[in-house]
Amino acid sequence: MAFWTQLGLLLWKNFTYRRRQTFQLLIEVAWPLFIFFILISVRLSYPPYEQHECHFPNKAMPSAGTLPWIQGIICNANNPCFRYPTPGESPGIVGNFNASIVSRLFSDAKRLLLYSQQDTSIKDVQKVLGKLRKLGNSSGSDLKLRDFLVDNETFSDFLHHNVSMPSSAVEELLDAEVNLQQV
């Protein structure tokens, strides 16, 4: 019973104080109403726009491994927002970086190191070195345009079909001598 008595006395005291201070009561009521009306006018003049739900790509923590952690930092630096769920939102999946630049770089390096014996890139390097030796040994007068083209290059087909040059003119052009000093 003491609680209800104290509450009644407190409300009576507050009512008596407010009745005596009329100007303060008007300010205390008008000021929040004024701010509320400002908020309503701003809301009506600038209606909200529809924003789709935002799905962010996952970012691996360092405990997932160094490569996924670095990929999460590099590939998501601009923090893109997607309209639909990303593959990495499923629990336990960290690898939505399979098409990233870093993954492709590592897979290319792995393929180059593991399968270089079956690859023809060493033979191609030897061809380039041979042509560079020929370039260094020559005075520049015995180099032909054909020497600068890759084997099986379709430059002659391009000139023959698209530029409508006769085959003899294309062969003469490819056998033309190149002066490196002028180039």
Side-chain angles (χ1 to χ4, degrees):
M1 195 66 172
F3 171 75
W4 295 109
T5 308
Q6 286 180 356
L7 182 62
L9 286 174
L10 187 61
L11 289 174
W12 176 77
K13 178 183 169 188
N14 191 20
F15 175 73
T16 306
Y17 178 73
R18 300 282 182 213
R19 190 175 55 179
R20 292 179 185 165
Q21 302 290 333
T22 329
F23 184 72
Q24 185 177 354
L25 177 66
L26 289 175
I27 296 292
E28 286 179 357
V29 170
W31 182 249
L33 285 174
F34 177 70
I35 292 175
F36 183 72
F37 286 128
I38 288 175
L39 288 174
I40 289 175
S41 66
V42 167
R43 178 66 183 246
L44 291 175
S45 61
Y46 298 104
Y49 61 94
E50 287 288 326
Q51 174 70 27
H52 61 83
E53 63 181 275
C54 208
H55 296 275
F56 296 103
N58 64 327
K59 294 179 183 147
M61 299 302 288
S63 61
T66 307
L67 182 61
W69 178 58
I70 291 174
Q71 284 177 334
I73 292 171
I74 293 173
C75 298
N76 300 324
N78 59 352
N79 208 16
C81 172
F82 299 107
R83 189 175 291 257
Y84 303 105
T86 59
E89 286 186 50
S90 302
I93 295 178
V94 187
N96 62 342
F97 304 108
N98 293 336
S100 69
I101 296 172
V102 177
S103 291
R104 285 184 283 169
L105 175 72
F106 278 111
S107 67
D108 289 345
K110 179 181 174 183
R111 189 170 2 133
L112 181 67
L113 293 174
L114 291 178
Y115 304 112
S116 62
Q117 291 82 14
Q118 300 170 357
D119 201 2
T120 61
S121 60
I122 296 174
K123 296 175 187 174
D124 293 338
V125 169
Q126 290 173 349
K127 286 181 186 177
V128 170
L129 289 175
K131 288 187 180 185
L132 285 175
R133 277 192 216 104
K134 183 179 178 184
L135 180 68
N137 294 337
S138 69
S139 61
S141 62
D142 57 347
L143 288 175
K144 306 217 180 296
L145 183 60
R146 188 181 306 273
D147 294 332
F148 292 99
L149 299 177
V150 179
D151 294 338
N152 301 326
E153 193 165 19
T154 59
F155 182 67
S156 59
D157 293 335
F158 172 76
L159 289 176
H160 182 65
H161 294 294
N162 295 344
V163 186
S164 300
M165 290 180 73
S167 300
S168 59
V170 171
E171 291 301 321
E172 288 178 19
L173 181 64
L174 291 177
D175 289 334
E177 293 182 359
V178 177
N179 188 349
L180 290 178
Q181 292 175 344
Q182 288 180 348
V183 173

Short mmCIF file of all heavy atoms in Angstrom, two decimals, residues 49-78:
data_model
loop_
_atom_site.label_atom_id
_atom_site.label_comp_id
_atom_site.label_asym_id
_atom_site.label_seq_id
_atom_site.Cartn_x
_atom_site.Cartn_y
_atom_site.Cartn_z
N TYR A 49 13.70 5.50 -50.39
CA TYR A 49 13.81 4.73 -51.63
C TYR A 49 14.01 3.26 -51.27
O TYR A 49 14.51 2.93 -50.21
CB TYR A 49 14.96 5.24 -52.51
CG TYR A 49 16.32 5.15 -51.87
CD1 TYR A 49 17.14 4.05 -52.09
CD2 TYR A 49 16.80 6.17 -51.05
CE1 TYR A 49 18.39 3.96 -51.51
CE2 TYR A 49 18.04 6.07 -50.47
CZ TYR A 49 18.82 4.98 -50.70
OH TYR A 49 20.05 4.88 -50.12
N GLU A 50 13.58 2.44 -52.21
CA GLU A 50 13.68 0.99 -52.00
C GLU A 50 15.11 0.53 -52.15
O GLU A 50 15.75 0.82 -53.15
CB GLU A 50 12.80 0.25 -53.01
CG GLU A 50 11.33 0.37 -52.75
CD GLU A 50 10.87 -0.44 -51.55
OE1 GLU A 50 11.44 -1.52 -51.32
OE2 GLU A 50 9.98 0.04 -50.84
N GLN A 51 15.59 -0.18 -51.18
CA GLN A 51 16.93 -0.75 -51.23
C GLN A 51 16.80 -2.25 -51.09
O GLN A 51 16.16 -2.72 -50.15
CB GLN A 51 17.80 -0.18 -50.10
CG GLN A 51 19.17 -0.81 -49.98
CD GLN A 51 20.08 -0.45 -51.12
OE1 GLN A 51 19.94 0.57 -51.74
NE2 GLN A 51 21.02 -1.32 -51.42
N HIS A 52 17.37 -2.98 -52.05
CA HIS A 52 17.29 -4.43 -51.97
C HIS A 52 18.13 -4.93 -50.81
O HIS A 52 19.00 -4.23 -50.29
CB HIS A 52 17.76 -5.07 -53.28
CG HIS A 52 19.18 -4.76 -53.63
ND1 HIS A 52 20.24 -5.45 -53.11
CD2 HIS A 52 19.72 -3.81 -54.44
CE1 HIS A 52 21.38 -4.96 -53.58
NE2 HIS A 52 21.08 -3.96 -54.40
N GLU A 53 17.85 -6.15 -50.41
CA GLU A 53 18.66 -6.71 -49.34
C GLU A 53 20.08 -6.92 -49.84
O GLU A 53 20.30 -7.18 -51.02
CB GLU A 53 18.06 -8.01 -48.82
CG GLU A 53 17.98 -9.13 -49.82
CD GLU A 53 17.36 -10.36 -49.22
OE1 GLU A 53 18.10 -11.12 -48.60
OE2 GLU A 53 16.16 -10.54 -49.39
N CYS A 54 21.02 -6.79 -48.97
CA CYS A 54 22.42 -6.77 -49.35
C CYS A 54 23.11 -8.04 -48.86
O CYS A 54 23.03 -8.38 -47.68
CB CYS A 54 23.07 -5.54 -48.73
SG CYS A 54 24.43 -4.94 -49.66
N HIS A 55 23.77 -8.73 -49.79
CA HIS A 55 24.56 -9.91 -49.44
C HIS A 55 26.02 -9.61 -49.77
O HIS A 55 26.35 -9.30 -50.90
CB HIS A 55 24.09 -11.12 -50.24
CG HIS A 55 22.69 -11.53 -49.93
ND1 HIS A 55 22.38 -12.36 -48.90
CD2 HIS A 55 21.52 -11.20 -50.52
CE1 HIS A 55 21.08 -12.55 -48.86
NE2 HIS A 55 20.53 -11.84 -49.83
N PHE A 56 26.86 -9.72 -48.77
CA PHE A 56 28.28 -9.45 -48.95
C PHE A 56 29.03 -10.75 -49.14
O PHE A 56 28.69 -11.77 -48.53
CB PHE A 56 28.84 -8.70 -47.75
CG PHE A 56 28.23 -7.35 -47.56
CD1 PHE A 56 27.26 -7.13 -46.59
CD2 PHE A 56 28.61 -6.30 -48.37
CE1 PHE A 56 26.71 -5.89 -46.43
CE2 PHE A 56 28.05 -5.05 -48.22
CZ PHE A 56 27.10 -4.85 -47.24
N PRO A 57 30.09 -10.75 -49.96
CA PRO A 57 30.89 -11.97 -50.10
C PRO A 57 31.62 -12.28 -48.79
O PRO A 57 31.96 -11.37 -48.04
CB PRO A 57 31.86 -11.65 -51.23
CG PRO A 57 31.84 -10.18 -51.37
CD PRO A 57 30.55 -9.68 -50.81
N ASN A 58 31.81 -13.56 -48.56
CA ASN A 58 32.45 -13.94 -47.30
C ASN A 58 33.93 -13.57 -47.31
O ASN A 58 34.57 -13.49 -48.36
CB ASN A 58 32.26 -15.42 -47.04
CG ASN A 58 32.93 -16.28 -48.07
OD1 ASN A 58 33.02 -15.90 -49.23
ND2 ASN A 58 33.41 -17.44 -47.67
N LYS A 59 34.42 -13.34 -46.15
CA LYS A 59 35.84 -13.03 -45.97
C LYS A 59 36.38 -14.01 -44.95
O LYS A 59 35.90 -14.07 -43.83
CB LYS A 59 36.01 -11.59 -45.48
CG LYS A 59 35.58 -10.58 -46.49
CD LYS A 59 35.73 -9.18 -45.96
CE LYS A 59 35.22 -8.23 -47.00
NZ LYS A 59 34.62 -7.07 -46.44
N ALA A 60 37.36 -14.76 -45.38
CA ALA A 60 37.92 -15.78 -44.50
C ALA A 60 38.76 -15.13 -43.41
O ALA A 60 39.40 -14.11 -43.62
CB ALA A 60 38.77 -16.75 -45.31
N MET A 61 38.75 -15.76 -42.27
CA MET A 61 39.58 -15.33 -41.15
C MET A 61 40.96 -15.98 -41.31
O MET A 61 41.12 -16.94 -42.06
CB MET A 61 38.95 -15.75 -39.82
CG MET A 61 37.57 -15.13 -39.60
SD MET A 61 37.60 -13.34 -39.64
CE MET A 61 38.38 -12.99 -38.11
N PRO A 62 41.98 -15.46 -40.63
CA PRO A 62 43.32 -16.04 -40.77
C PRO A 62 43.40 -17.52 -40.40
O PRO A 62 44.27 -18.23 -40.89
CB PRO A 62 44.18 -15.20 -39.81
CG PRO A 62 43.45 -13.92 -39.67
CD PRO A 62 41.99 -14.24 -39.82
N SER A 63 42.48 -17.99 -39.59
CA SER A 63 42.52 -19.41 -39.21
C SER A 63 42.14 -20.33 -40.36
O SER A 63 42.40 -21.52 -40.32
CB SER A 63 41.59 -19.66 -38.02
OG SER A 63 40.26 -19.34 -38.39
N ALA A 64 41.51 -19.79 -41.43
CA ALA A 64 41.13 -20.60 -42.59
C ALA A 64 42.34 -20.90 -43.47
O ALA A 64 42.25 -21.73 -44.36
CB ALA A 64 40.05 -19.90 -43.41
N GLY A 65 43.42 -20.22 -43.27
CA GLY A 65 44.62 -20.40 -44.08
C GLY A 65 45.07 -19.07 -44.64
O GLY A 65 44.28 -18.13 -44.77
N THR A 66 46.31 -18.99 -44.99
CA THR A 66 46.86 -17.72 -45.46
C THR A 66 46.29 -17.31 -46.81
O THR A 66 45.89 -16.16 -46.99
CB THR A 66 48.40 -17.82 -45.56
OG1 THR A 66 48.92 -18.28 -44.32
CG2 THR A 66 49.01 -16.47 -45.88
N LEU A 67 46.21 -18.24 -47.76
CA LEU A 67 45.73 -17.90 -49.09
C LEU A 67 44.26 -17.45 -49.08
O LEU A 67 43.95 -16.40 -49.63
CB LEU A 67 45.94 -19.07 -50.05
CG LEU A 67 45.51 -18.82 -51.50
CD1 LEU A 67 46.31 -17.67 -52.10
CD2 LEU A 67 45.68 -20.07 -52.33
N PRO A 68 43.32 -18.18 -48.43
CA PRO A 68 41.95 -17.67 -48.40
C PRO A 68 41.82 -16.33 -47.67
O PRO A 68 41.01 -15.49 -48.05
CB PRO A 68 41.17 -18.77 -47.67
CG PRO A 68 41.97 -19.99 -47.84
CD PRO A 68 43.40 -19.53 -47.91
N TRP A 69 42.62 -16.14 -46.65
CA TRP A 69 42.56 -14.89 -45.90
C TRP A 69 43.01 -13.72 -46.78
O TRP A 69 42.35 -12.68 -46.84
CB TRP A 69 43.42 -15.01 -44.65
CG TRP A 69 43.46 -13.77 -43.83
CD1 TRP A 69 42.41 -13.11 -43.27
CD2 TRP A 69 44.63 -13.03 -43.47
NE1 TRP A 69 42.85 -12.01 -42.59
CE2 TRP A 69 44.20 -11.94 -42.69
CE3 TRP A 69 45.97 -13.19 -43.73
CZ2 TRP A 69 45.10 -11.01 -42.18
CZ3 TRP A 69 46.85 -12.27 -43.20
CH2 TRP A 69 46.41 -11.19 -42.44
N ILE A 70 44.12 -13.89 -47.51
CA ILE A 70 44.62 -12.83 -48.39
C ILE A 70 43.65 -12.60 -49.54
O ILE A 70 43.40 -11.46 -49.93
CB ILE A 70 46.04 -13.17 -48.89
CG1 ILE A 70 47.03 -13.09 -47.73
CG2 ILE A 70 46.46 -12.23 -50.01
CD1 ILE A 70 48.42 -13.54 -48.06
N GLN A 71 43.06 -13.69 -50.08
CA GLN A 71 42.07 -13.52 -51.14
C GLN A 71 40.86 -12.76 -50.64
O GLN A 71 40.30 -11.94 -51.37
CB GLN A 71 41.64 -14.88 -51.67
CG GLN A 71 42.65 -15.52 -52.57
CD GLN A 71 42.22 -16.89 -53.02
OE1 GLN A 71 41.46 -17.57 -52.35
NE2 GLN A 71 42.73 -17.32 -54.16
N GLY A 72 40.44 -13.00 -49.43
CA GLY A 72 39.31 -12.28 -48.87
C GLY A 72 39.59 -10.80 -48.73
O GLY A 72 38.70 -9.96 -48.92
N ILE A 73 40.83 -10.46 -48.44
CA ILE A 73 41.20 -9.05 -48.32
C ILE A 73 41.30 -8.40 -49.69
O ILE A 73 40.75 -7.33 -49.94
CB ILE A 73 42.53 -8.92 -47.55
CG1 ILE A 73 42.35 -9.34 -46.10
CG2 ILE A 73 43.05 -7.49 -47.62
CD1 ILE A 73 43.64 -9.44 -45.33
N ILE A 74 41.99 -9.06 -50.63
CA ILE A 74 42.25 -8.47 -51.94
C ILE A 74 40.99 -8.45 -52.80
O ILE A 74 40.64 -7.43 -53.39
CB ILE A 74 43.38 -9.22 -52.66
CG1 ILE A 74 44.70 -9.01 -51.92
CG2 ILE A 74 43.51 -8.77 -54.10
CD1 ILE A 74 45.85 -9.83 -52.43
N CYS A 75 40.29 -9.57 -52.89
CA CYS A 75 39.17 -9.68 -53.82
C CYS A 75 37.95 -8.89 -53.36
O CYS A 75 37.09 -8.56 -54.17
CB CYS A 75 38.79 -11.14 -54.02
SG CYS A 75 40.12 -12.10 -54.76
N ASN A 76 37.83 -8.61 -52.09
CA ASN A 76 36.67 -7.90 -51.58
C ASN A 76 37.05 -6.55 -51.00
O ASN A 76 36.44 -6.07 -50.05
CB ASN A 76 35.95 -8.73 -50.52
CG ASN A 76 35.47 -10.04 -51.06
OD1 ASN A 76 35.05 -10.12 -52.20
ND2 ASN A 76 35.55 -11.07 -50.26
N ALA A 77 38.05 -5.91 -51.58
CA ALA A 77 38.51 -4.63 -51.04
C ALA A 77 37.45 -3.55 -51.16
O ALA A 77 37.33 -2.70 -50.29
CB ALA A 77 39.79 -4.20 -51.75
N ASN A 78 36.66 -3.58 -52.23
CA ASN A 78 35.63 -2.56 -52.39
C ASN A 78 34.32 -2.94 -51.71
O ASN A 78 33.36 -2.18 -51.77
CB ASN A 78 35.38 -2.28 -53.88
CG ASN A 78 34.95 -3.52 -54.63
OD1 ASN A 78 34.97 -4.62 -54.09
ND2 ASN A 78 34.57 -3.34 -55.88
#
